[in-house]
Amino acid sequence: MARRSRVRAVATAVAGALALMAGLFGTGPARAEAADGVRGMTVRFVEHEIFIGTEPANAFVAYRWKVAGGGAAHHVHLAVDLSGVADFAEPAPSEHCDGNLCTLDLASATSDSHAITLVPKPGAAIGSSGTVTVSGTASDATVTGDRLTLTNGKTQLKVSESAEQLDQVPGDMLTFPLDVWNTGQLPAAKGVELRIDTTAGLHLQGSWANCRDVSASGRGGHIVHETLCDFPTPVEPGRQYALSSPLRVKVGDEALHDKIYYVVTPLTGAAPANGPGTPLTLVPNGVMPSDGNHEPSFTTYVDSVNHADFAVTGDTVTGRRGGHATLHATVVDRGPALVEDLLDDDVALDVLVKLPLGTKATKIPHDCYPPGTDGSYHGPRMGLTTYECSFTDPAPGDRHVLSFTVAIGPRTPAVSTGQVQTLEFFKGFDPDASNDSAALILRLAQGGSTGGGTPGGSGPLAGTGFGGGWIGWAAGALLLAGGVAVALSRRSRGGN
């Protein structure tokens, strides 16, 4: 009787818990339909300030929509209202719009995007500006719209190009004249900002009142130095301006493959106060070129004569047949040049390790794999005799110790030699080849070995010194392990 009472109590508690969960999360279609009734959908412009430029002579108005909380909204009607810019802009002929209204109807929507193209009306005044809105409705969602500002005309800044610099050496001083011009219809009324980025081997010279060094963290592309210069000089359409003095860059000891990158953008506010020194200025330099760079940025590559050096050191150890030994190979980046590939962020120095004849690996470093494979390799790595090890982003001063524990076979020679060697990942990356390889030597200890072997043994491991004698030794070890397991099993059963 007491047991039945406890069962009923448990059943009652479970039923109560299920009822609570149903109340919280819903258990049927009626609840789901209620959730659909309050679903929200947002429509947002990708950009909120758009200009109709000359390259190309149009503007792309893109917007995205997303339904909150998952699921879909149904019978969606979206509308882009152009009446606020109708005096100077209209949809391109290819767009399916009715007057100043461009619509999009969707049977269902979750998240996606759409864009329309606007062009200036003939004779539209440069500088005209207005508002574009997007709104919408849905049968089962509340749609929240957005707005943007559209202007007829644009500031389109360009910078001059510089020739590649080749065969530089540390201490060289490079000069980069820089011109800026405006191919747009609107001036950069408040002036422009110049950003100068350099890699490790290039050092911008000089200090100016209107320039400041900023952190290059997160810039990527191997950029380590970044300088910003603000010029409160209006840059008018059709005019060219030059720096009051060219940029001077010194080639440092770290130089090998380097680049300098510069980009100009319109200033949107007052130029901030900066460092000491006289200001670097922009001075008028005639009309803009008819055939020049068509971008507001440019990258000049600088290659220097290589004076990087990688050195490897081997090891000599003593062991016995049937035993184990640990060999240590050392790899050092002696610099001073920084070896990197500007077109690849994932640069690695590879080292080839060949273990002494008659041994096989039982423990290897983390970043070592069978030759020709990489970190994506998931096969067996132990028991091999040759490995390729990788060190990502090598830098001067880096030191890596590679430790390999090997099993010594029964037919290992009295003196067995392997090798560690750096591998070339681009031509001429290490001009000093005298220290690019070293020996890994295993000497057998005096007094014999812990296991014998049959000279000239056969089998798949015979060529490595692990022939029939080694297989017999391993089989004996397995038999011994099996006997111990049986004894332990019997003892376990006897104790129960």
Side-chain angles (χ1 to χ4, degrees):
M1 187 68 174
R3 181 178 179 85
R4 284 197 297 271
S5 298
R6 287 197 299 270
V7 171
R8 283 197 298 270
V10 171
T12 301
V14 171
L18 291 174
L20 177 60
M21 292 176 64
L24 289 174
F25 302 109
T27 57
R31 184 102 188 156
E33 290 172 3
D36 287 345
V38 296
R39 178 172 288 125
M41 176 177 174
T42 57
V43 186
R44 292 285 181 266
F45 286 116
V46 175
E47 297 179 83
H48 289 88
E49 189 173 21
I50 296 180
F51 299 87
I52 302 178
T54 57
E55 303 170 6
N58 53 33
F60 296 99
V61 177
Y63 56 93
R64 298 190 180 106
W65 60 86
K66 183 176 182 180
V67 178
H74 299 90
H75 306 293
V76 176
H77 176 79
L78 302 177
V80 176
D81 185 355
L82 305 175
S83 58
V85 297
D87 290 343
F88 63 89
E90 60 188 359
S94 60
E95 298 294 346
H96 300 287
C97 302
D98 184 7
N100 296 320
L101 196 64
C102 299
T103 59
L104 180 66
D105 291 303
L106 305 166
S108 64
T110 53
S111 63
D112 207 339
S113 62
H114 186 68
I116 60 175
T117 302
L118 302 183
V119 296
K121 285 186 173 180
I126 298 298
S128 300
S129 185
T131 300
V132 178
T133 64
V134 62
S135 59
T137 60
S139 63
D140 53 2
T142 301
V143 181
T144 303
D146 199 10
R147 62 177 55 212
L148 64 79
T149 300
L150 177 72
T151 300
N152 184 34
K154 189 175 184 179
T155 302
Q156 295 181 296
L157 301 174
K158 315 295 178 186
V159 294
S160 56
E161 301 179 358
S162 296
E164 267 191 356
Q165 304 290 322
L166 304 177
D167 301 323
Q168 305 302 311
V169 296
D172 283 353
M173 194 70 69
L174 308 179
T175 300
F176 296 95
L178 193 65
D179 290 330
V180 178
W181 60 90
N182 182 359
T183 62
Q185 312 102 308
L186 296 179
K190 296 182 179 180
V192 299
E193 179 181 79
L194 169 66
R195 190 180 83 218
I196 308 163
D197 293 341
T198 55
T199 49
L202 302 179
H203 304 275
L204 184 64
Q205 305 295 293
S207 177
W208 302 280
N210 58 320
C211 299
R212 61 197 183 278
D213 293 330
V214 297
S215 172
S217 176
R219 287 280 295 112
H222 305 284
I223 298 299
V224 297
H225 307 294
E226 182 172 332
T227 300
L228 294 178
C229 297
D230 298 306
F231 302 91
T233 302
V235 176
E236 301 291 339
R239 300 294 305 276
Q240 180 173 256
Y241 302 77
L243 289 181
S244 54
S245 62
L247 301 177
R248 297 173 65 248
V249 175
K250 184 177 181 180
V251 179
D253 289 339
E254 313 91 335
L256 180 56
H257 295 309
D258 291 281
K259 66 181 178 181
I260 177 172
Y261 168 86
Y262 24 82
V263 58
V264 288
T265 54
L267 272 177
T268 57
N274 297 295
T278 58
L280 186 65
T281 61
L282 285 177
V283 295
N285 192 27
V287 298
M288 67 181 187
S290 58
D291 184 19
N293 183 25
H294 297 288
E295 299 295 334
S297 61
F298 192 76
T299 299
T300 302
Y301 291 92
V302 179
D303 283 351
S304 299
V305 174
N306 190 3
H307 57 292
D309 185 28
F310 293 92
V312 296
T313 304
D315 196 10
T316 300
V317 297
T318 302
R320 297 179 183 275
R321 293 190 180 102
H324 293 78
T326 300
L327 294 145
H328 304 286
T330 304
V331 183
V332 179
D333 184 344
R334 298 176 60 180
L338 180 62
V339 177
E340 59 187 4
D341 185 348
L342 298 181
L343 303 179
D344 187 355
D345 285 334
D346 298 321
V347 174
L349 168 66
D350 293 330
V351 177
L352 186 67
V353 176
K354 297 180 179 179
L355 300 175
L357 180 67
T359 69
K360 64 178 182 179
T362 60
K363 185 177 181 181
I364 66 174
H366 175 68
D367 291 321
C368 297
Y369 301 88
T373 64
D374 54 22
S376 63
Y377 175 80
H378 298 295
R381 296 193 297 157
M382 300 304 160
L384 305 179
T385 59
T386 304
Y387 292 90
E388 191 171 309
C389 306
S390 295
F391 311 108
T392 57
D393 298 325
D398 284 356
R399 180 184 181 89
H400 304 276
V401 178
L402 300 172
S403 298
F404 289 84
T405 299
V406 298
I408 305 171
R411 297 172 54 243
T412 301
V415 178
S416 181
T417 302
Q419 187 185 55
V420 54
Q421 179 181 1
T422 60
L423 298 177
E424 183 174 272
F425 63 86
F426 58 77
K427 185 176 180 180
F429 91 112
D430 183 356
D432 182 2
S434 64
N435 53 17
D436 289 353
S437 64
L440 296 172
I441 301 173
L442 171 66
R443 299 182 185 275
L444 293 185
Q446 297 296 321
S449 65
T450 61
T454 302
S458 61
L461 297 176
T464 64
F466 293 94
W470 176 263
I471 294 174
W473 177 86
L478 289 172
L479 288 173
L480 176 60
V484 171
V486 170
L488 289 174
S489 175
R490 288 175 178 170
R491 179 179 298 177
S492 175
R493 287 197 297 271
N496 287 339

Tab-separated table of all heavy atoms in Angstrom, residues 74-121:
chain	number	residue	atom	x	y	z
A	74	HIS	N	6.080	35.208	-44.085
A	74	HIS	CA	5.376	34.839	-45.307
A	74	HIS	C	4.643	36.036	-45.929
A	74	HIS	O	4.319	37.004	-45.243
A	74	HIS	CB	4.382	33.711	-45.021
A	74	HIS	CG	5.034	32.470	-44.509
A	74	HIS	ND1	5.243	32.245	-43.157
A	74	HIS	CD2	5.565	31.395	-45.158
A	74	HIS	CE1	5.860	31.084	-42.991
A	74	HIS	NE2	6.064	30.549	-44.189
A	75	HIS	N	4.447	35.924	-47.258
A	75	HIS	CA	3.759	36.973	-48.025
A	75	HIS	C	4.398	38.336	-47.731
A	75	HIS	O	3.743	39.285	-47.312
A	75	HIS	CB	2.265	36.995	-47.696
A	75	HIS	CG	1.609	35.652	-47.865
A	75	HIS	ND1	1.454	35.029	-49.084
A	75	HIS	CD2	1.097	34.790	-46.938
A	75	HIS	CE1	0.863	33.871	-48.924
A	75	HIS	NE2	0.632	33.689	-47.624
A	76	VAL	N	5.705	38.395	-47.991
A	76	VAL	CA	6.495	39.594	-47.671
A	76	VAL	C	6.477	40.552	-48.861
A	76	VAL	O	6.671	40.143	-50.015
A	76	VAL	CB	7.946	39.198	-47.322
A	76	VAL	CG1	8.786	40.442	-47.081
A	76	VAL	CG2	7.957	38.286	-46.101
A	77	HIS	N	6.237	41.826	-48.578
A	77	HIS	CA	6.249	42.875	-49.589
A	77	HIS	C	7.218	43.962	-49.119
A	77	HIS	O	6.998	44.598	-48.081
A	77	HIS	CB	4.844	43.465	-49.770
A	77	HIS	CG	4.790	44.616	-50.741
A	77	HIS	ND1	4.779	44.438	-52.104
A	77	HIS	CD2	4.752	45.968	-50.526
A	77	HIS	CE1	4.736	45.616	-52.697
A	77	HIS	NE2	4.720	46.561	-51.759
A	78	LEU	N	8.320	44.183	-49.875
A	78	LEU	CA	9.327	45.187	-49.536
A	78	LEU	C	9.287	46.306	-50.564
A	78	LEU	O	9.098	46.054	-51.769
A	78	LEU	CB	10.724	44.565	-49.497
A	78	LEU	CG	10.930	43.400	-48.519
A	78	LEU	CD1	12.329	42.837	-48.641
A	78	LEU	CD2	10.638	43.834	-47.091
A	79	ALA	N	9.491	47.553	-50.097
A	79	ALA	CA	9.400	48.709	-50.989
A	79	ALA	C	10.517	49.697	-50.688
A	79	ALA	O	10.737	50.069	-49.535
A	79	ALA	CB	8.044	49.401	-50.831
A	80	VAL	N	11.226	50.117	-51.756
A	80	VAL	CA	12.246	51.164	-51.653
A	80	VAL	C	11.656	52.436	-52.260
A	80	VAL	O	11.314	52.477	-53.457
A	80	VAL	CB	13.541	50.766	-52.384
A	80	VAL	CG1	14.554	51.912	-52.338
A	80	VAL	CG2	14.143	49.506	-51.763
A	81	ASP	N	11.544	53.475	-51.439
A	81	ASP	CA	10.910	54.728	-51.844
A	81	ASP	C	11.993	55.723	-52.258
A	81	ASP	O	12.850	56.109	-51.452
A	81	ASP	CB	10.087	55.279	-50.677
A	81	ASP	CG	9.290	56.519	-51.055
A	81	ASP	OD1	9.458	57.009	-52.192
A	81	ASP	OD2	8.515	56.996	-50.212
A	82	LEU	N	11.957	56.148	-53.515
A	82	LEU	CA	12.961	57.064	-54.066
A	82	LEU	C	12.429	58.486	-54.207
A	82	LEU	O	13.090	59.330	-54.821
A	82	LEU	CB	13.427	56.558	-55.440
A	82	LEU	CG	13.969	55.126	-55.495
A	82	LEU	CD1	14.261	54.742	-56.939
A	82	LEU	CD2	15.222	55.008	-54.649
A	83	SER	N	11.262	58.778	-53.652
A	83	SER	CA	10.679	60.115	-53.850
A	83	SER	C	11.547	61.205	-53.247
A	83	SER	O	11.541	62.341	-53.733
A	83	SER	CB	9.275	60.159	-53.239
A	83	SER	OG	9.314	59.832	-51.848
A	84	GLY	N	12.350	60.873	-52.211
A	84	GLY	CA	13.206	61.882	-51.588
A	84	GLY	C	14.415	62.255	-52.408
A	84	GLY	O	15.099	63.231	-52.105
A	85	VAL	N	14.695	61.493	-53.479
A	85	VAL	CA	15.844	61.805	-54.340
A	85	VAL	C	15.401	61.949	-55.797
A	85	VAL	O	16.231	61.953	-56.716
A	85	VAL	CB	16.934	60.712	-54.217
A	85	VAL	CG1	17.482	60.659	-52.810
A	85	VAL	CG2	16.396	59.346	-54.645
A	86	ALA	N	14.094	62.065	-56.020
A	86	ALA	CA	13.563	62.063	-57.385
A	86	ALA	C	14.023	63.249	-58.212
A	86	ALA	O	14.006	63.190	-59.451
A	86	ALA	CB	12.035	62.038	-57.340
A	87	ASP	N	14.471	64.337	-57.573
A	87	ASP	CA	14.919	65.511	-58.323
A	87	ASP	C	16.223	65.250	-59.072
A	87	ASP	O	16.479	65.913	-60.093
A	87	ASP	CB	15.124	66.696	-57.380
A	87	ASP	CG	13.808	67.232	-56.834
A	87	ASP	OD1	12.755	66.900	-57.429
A	87	ASP	OD2	13.838	67.952	-55.820
A	88	PHE	N	17.048	64.314	-58.605
A	88	PHE	CA	18.366	64.145	-59.217
A	88	PHE	C	18.727	62.694	-59.535
A	88	PHE	O	19.755	62.438	-60.176
A	88	PHE	CB	19.455	64.746	-58.325
A	88	PHE	CG	19.594	64.090	-56.985
A	88	PHE	CD1	20.447	63.004	-56.805
A	88	PHE	CD2	18.879	64.554	-55.883
A	88	PHE	CE1	20.571	62.405	-55.567
A	88	PHE	CE2	19.013	63.960	-54.644
A	88	PHE	CZ	19.856	62.876	-54.473
A	89	ALA	N	17.947	61.705	-59.097
A	89	ALA	CA	18.307	60.307	-59.326
A	89	ALA	C	17.084	59.490	-59.701
A	89	ALA	O	15.942	59.840	-59.359
A	89	ALA	CB	18.962	59.724	-58.074
A	90	GLU	N	17.323	58.403	-60.432
A	90	GLU	CA	16.235	57.518	-60.847
A	90	GLU	C	16.790	56.104	-60.997
A	90	GLU	O	18.013	55.910	-61.105
A	90	GLU	CB	15.645	57.992	-62.167
A	90	GLU	CG	16.648	58.024	-63.311
A	90	GLU	CD	16.084	58.671	-64.566
A	90	GLU	OE1	14.910	59.072	-64.550
A	90	GLU	OE2	16.831	58.790	-65.565
A	91	PRO	N	15.918	55.090	-60.988
A	91	PRO	CA	16.402	53.716	-61.179
A	91	PRO	C	16.972	53.539	-62.583
A	91	PRO	O	16.537	54.167	-63.543
A	91	PRO	CB	15.149	52.856	-60.968
A	91	PRO	CG	14.158	53.749	-60.316
A	91	PRO	CD	14.467	55.133	-60.744
A	92	ALA	N	17.968	52.652	-62.688
A	92	ALA	CA	18.505	52.328	-64.008
A	92	ALA	C	17.419	51.661	-64.849
A	92	ALA	O	16.499	51.028	-64.305
A	92	ALA	CB	19.710	51.403	-63.854
A	93	PRO	N	17.485	51.772	-66.178
A	93	PRO	CA	16.438	51.195	-67.040
A	93	PRO	C	16.234	49.695	-66.810
A	93	PRO	O	15.148	49.183	-67.054
A	93	PRO	CB	16.959	51.477	-68.456
A	93	PRO	CG	17.848	52.670	-68.295
A	93	PRO	CD	18.482	52.532	-66.947
A	94	SER	N	17.243	49.007	-66.354
A	94	SER	CA	17.125	47.561	-66.161
A	94	SER	C	16.322	47.201	-64.921
A	94	SER	O	15.912	46.046	-64.755
A	94	SER	CB	18.517	46.925	-66.058
A	94	SER	OG	19.231	47.482	-64.969
A	95	GLU	N	16.093	48.147	-64.028
A	95	GLU	CA	15.368	47.853	-62.800
A	95	GLU	C	13.855	47.819	-63.048
A	95	GLU	O	13.332	48.577	-63.879
A	95	GLU	CB	15.682	48.915	-61.727
A	95	GLU	CG	17.148	48.974	-61.323
A	95	GLU	CD	17.623	47.723	-60.611
A	95	GLU	OE1	16.781	46.904	-60.190
A	95	GLU	OE2	18.846	47.561	-60.480
A	96	HIS	N	13.183	46.946	-62.316
A	96	HIS	CA	11.721	46.833	-62.437
A	96	HIS	C	11.075	47.686	-61.341
A	96	HIS	O	10.740	47.197	-60.268
A	96	HIS	CB	11.307	45.367	-62.331
A	96	HIS	CG	11.910	44.502	-63.401
A	96	HIS	ND1	11.502	44.542	-64.706
A	96	HIS	CD2	12.913	43.593	-63.353
A	96	HIS	CE1	12.201	43.680	-65.424
A	96	HIS	NE2	13.068	43.087	-64.624
A	97	CYS	N	10.951	48.961	-61.631
A	97	CYS	CA	10.382	49.908	-60.667
A	97	CYS	C	9.218	50.646	-61.325
A	97	CYS	O	9.164	50.792	-62.558
A	97	CYS	CB	11.437	50.912	-60.205
A	97	CYS	SG	12.903	50.142	-59.438
A	98	ASP	N	8.339	51.127	-60.506
A	98	ASP	CA	7.193	51.904	-60.978
A	98	ASP	C	7.364	53.324	-60.467
A	98	ASP	O	7.108	53.610	-59.292
A	98	ASP	CB	5.896	51.293	-60.478
A	98	ASP	CG	4.660	52.017	-61.026
A	98	ASP	OD1	4.838	52.902	-61.897
A	98	ASP	OD2	3.547	51.718	-60.567
A	99	GLY	N	7.863	54.201	-61.340
A	99	GLY	CA	8.120	55.569	-60.927
A	99	GLY	C	9.212	55.622	-59.870
A	99	GLY	O	10.339	55.181	-60.106
A	100	ASN	N	8.858	56.175	-58.716
A	100	ASN	CA	9.831	56.306	-57.633
A	100	ASN	C	9.734	55.185	-56.603
A	100	ASN	O	10.243	55.326	-55.494
A	100	ASN	CB	9.630	57.654	-56.925
A	100	ASN	CG	9.900	58.829	-57.849
A	100	ASN	OD1	10.840	58.782	-58.643
A	100	ASN	ND2	9.075	59.864	-57.757
A	101	LEU	N	9.078	54.090	-56.980
A	101	LEU	CA	8.908	52.998	-56.026
A	101	LEU	C	9.411	51.689	-56.647
A	101	LEU	O	8.950	51.280	-57.719
A	101	LEU	CB	7.430	52.857	-55.654
A	101	LEU	CG	7.124	52.033	-54.397
A	101	LEU	CD1	7.716	52.706	-53.153
A	101	LEU	CD2	5.621	51.849	-54.231
A	102	CYS	N	10.342	51.049	-55.946
A	102	CYS	CA	10.880	49.753	-56.378
A	102	CYS	C	10.465	48.710	-55.351
A	102	CYS	O	10.757	48.868	-54.151
A	102	CYS	CB	12.404	49.790	-56.472
A	102	CYS	SG	13.040	50.997	-57.671
A	103	THR	N	9.760	47.672	-55.789
A	103	THR	CA	9.202	46.707	-54.849
A	103	THR	C	9.773	45.317	-55.091
A	103	THR	O	10.286	45.000	-56.176
A	103	THR	CB	7.674	46.650	-54.967
A	103	THR	OG1	7.322	46.279	-56.304
A	103	THR	CG2	7.069	48.000	-54.629
A	104	LEU	N	9.643	44.491	-54.040
A	104	LEU	CA	10.083	43.099	-54.104
A	104	LEU	C	9.086	42.263	-53.305
A	104	LEU	O	8.835	42.558	-52.132
A	104	LEU	CB	11.489	42.946	-53.515
A	104	LEU	CG	12.094	41.542	-53.518
A	104	LEU	CD1	12.343	41.066	-54.944
A	104	LEU	CD2	13.396	41.521	-52.716
A	105	ASP	N	8.507	41.228	-53.917
A	105	ASP	CA	7.530	40.365	-53.258
A	105	ASP	C	8.110	38.966	-53.091
A	105	ASP	O	8.658	38.388	-54.041
A	105	ASP	CB	6.236	40.300	-54.065
A	105	ASP	CG	5.482	41.629	-54.046
A	105	ASP	OD1	5.162	42.092	-52.933
A	105	ASP	OD2	5.267	42.202	-55.128
A	106	LEU	N	7.977	38.425	-51.881
A	106	LEU	CA	8.526	37.118	-51.539
A	106	LEU	C	7.440	36.268	-50.897
A	106	LEU	O	6.753	36.732	-49.977
A	106	LEU	CB	9.700	37.254	-50.574
A	106	LEU	CG	10.858	38.167	-51.018
A	106	LEU	CD1	11.773	38.468	-49.844
A	106	LEU	CD2	11.637	37.516	-52.141
A	107	ALA	N	7.280	35.033	-51.368
A	107	ALA	CA	6.317	34.133	-50.745
A	107	ALA	C	6.715	33.826	-49.308
A	107	ALA	O	5.866	33.728	-48.416
A	107	ALA	CB	6.206	32.846	-51.556
A	108	SER	N	8.012	33.664	-49.065
A	108	SER	CA	8.531	33.472	-47.712
A	108	SER	C	9.929	34.049	-47.665
A	108	SER	O	10.620	34.149	-48.691
A	108	SER	CB	8.552	31.992	-47.323
A	108	SER	OG	9.447	31.273	-48.146
A	109	ALA	N	10.364	34.426	-46.477
A	109	ALA	CA	11.681	35.046	-46.325
A	109	ALA	C	12.277	34.667	-44.986
A	109	ALA	O	11.565	34.590	-43.980
A	109	ALA	CB	11.573	36.569	-46.436
A	110	THR	N	13.580	34.409	-44.979
A	110	THR	CA	14.333	34.191	-43.732
A	110	THR	C	15.439	35.239	-43.636
A	110	THR	O	15.367	36.164	-42.841
A	110	THR	CB	14.910	32.772	-43.682
A	110	THR	OG1	15.658	32.512	-44.888
A	110	THR	CG2	13.801	31.734	-43.561
A	111	SER	N	16.467	35.110	-44.477
A	111	SER	CA	17.515	36.136	-44.560
A	111	SER	C	18.111	36.107	-45.950
A	111	SER	O	18.365	35.043	-46.506
A	111	SER	CB	18.606	35.894	-43.505
A	111	SER	OG	19.248	34.660	-43.741
A	112	ASP	N	18.305	37.282	-46.522
A	112	ASP	CA	18.878	37.393	-47.866
A	112	ASP	C	19.119	38.878	-48.144
A	112	ASP	O	19.008	39.716	-47.217
A	112	ASP	CB	17.941	36.783	-48.915
A	112	ASP	CG	18.703	36.267	-50.139
A	112	ASP	OD1	19.831	36.727	-50.357
A	112	ASP	OD2	18.151	35.426	-50.874
A	113	SER	N	19.430	39.215	-49.378
A	113	SER	CA	19.694	40.613	-49.726
A	113	SER	C	19.259	40.883	-51.156
A	113	SER	O	19.018	39.966	-51.944
A	113	SER	CB	21.183	40.930	-49.560
A	113	SER	OG	21.957	40.127	-50.446
A	114	HIS	N	19.172	42.168	-51.476
A	114	HIS	CA	18.787	42.603	-52.813
A	114	HIS	C	19.411	43.974	-53.048
A	114	HIS	O	19.767	44.682	-52.089
A	114	HIS	CB	17.257	42.678	-52.939
A	114	HIS	CG	16.789	42.984	-54.334
A	114	HIS	ND1	16.937	42.106	-55.371
A	114	HIS	CD2	16.172	44.088	-54.851
A	114	HIS	CE1	16.433	42.632	-56.481
A	114	HIS	NE2	15.965	43.833	-56.183
A	115	ALA	N	19.594	44.351	-54.306
A	115	ALA	CA	20.174	45.662	-54.623
A	115	ALA	C	19.507	46.231	-55.863
A	115	ALA	O	19.052	45.487	-56.741
A	115	ALA	CB	21.682	45.553	-54.840
A	116	ILE	N	19.441	47.549	-55.919
A	116	ILE	CA	18.964	48.246	-57.110
A	116	ILE	C	20.025	49.265	-57.511
A	116	ILE	O	20.822	49.723	-56.687
A	116	ILE	CB	17.604	48.942	-56.879
A	116	ILE	CG1	17.726	49.979	-55.746
A	116	ILE	CG2	16.523	47.933	-56.567
A	116	ILE	CD1	16.450	50.782	-55.556
A	117	THR	N	20.045	49.608	-58.799
A	117	THR	CA	21.020	50.556	-59.331
A	117	THR	C	20.330	51.887	-59.611
A	117	THR	O	19.284	51.924	-60.277
A	117	THR	CB	21.651	50.015	-60.621
A	117	THR	OG1	22.273	48.764	-60.351
A	117	THR	CG2	22.691	50.983	-61.166
A	118	LEU	N	20.931	52.968	-59.113
A	118	LEU	CA	20.419	54.318	-59.356
A	118	LEU	C	21.414	55.085	-60.223
A	118	LEU	O	22.630	54.919	-60.090
A	118	LEU	CB	20.209	55.059	-58.035
A	118	LEU	CG	19.260	54.411	-57.023
A	118	LEU	CD1	19.114	55.298	-55.805
A	118	LEU	CD2	17.894	54.127	-57.656
A	119	VAL	N	20.884	55.920	-61.103
A	119	VAL	CA	21.720	56.749	-61.972
A	119	VAL	C	21.269	58.197	-61.843
A	119	VAL	O	20.118	58.476	-61.472
A	119	VAL	CB	21.618	56.291	-63.443
A	119	VAL	CG1	22.168	54.878	-63.612
A	119	VAL	CG2	20.183	56.365	-63.940
A	120	PRO	N	22.172	59.148	-62.122
A	120	PRO	CA	21.766	60.554	-62.047
A	120	PRO	C	20.865	60.925	-63.221
A	120	PRO	O	21.035	60.438	-64.338
A	120	PRO	CB	23.101	61.304	-62.112
A	120	PRO	CG	24.016	60.377	-62.849
A	120	PRO	CD	23.601	58.993	-62.477
A	121	LYS	N	19.908	61.782	-62.947
A	121	LYS	CA	19.070	62.294	-64.028
A	121	LYS	C	19.866	63.275	-64.879
A	121	LYS	O	20.782	63.955	-64.371
A	121	LYS	CB	17.837	62.992	-63.443
A	121	LYS	CG	16.789	62.037	-62.910
A	121	LYS	CD	15.536	62.785	-62.471
A	121	LYS	CE	14.429	61.804	-62.092
A	121	LYS	NZ	13.190	62.506	-61.664
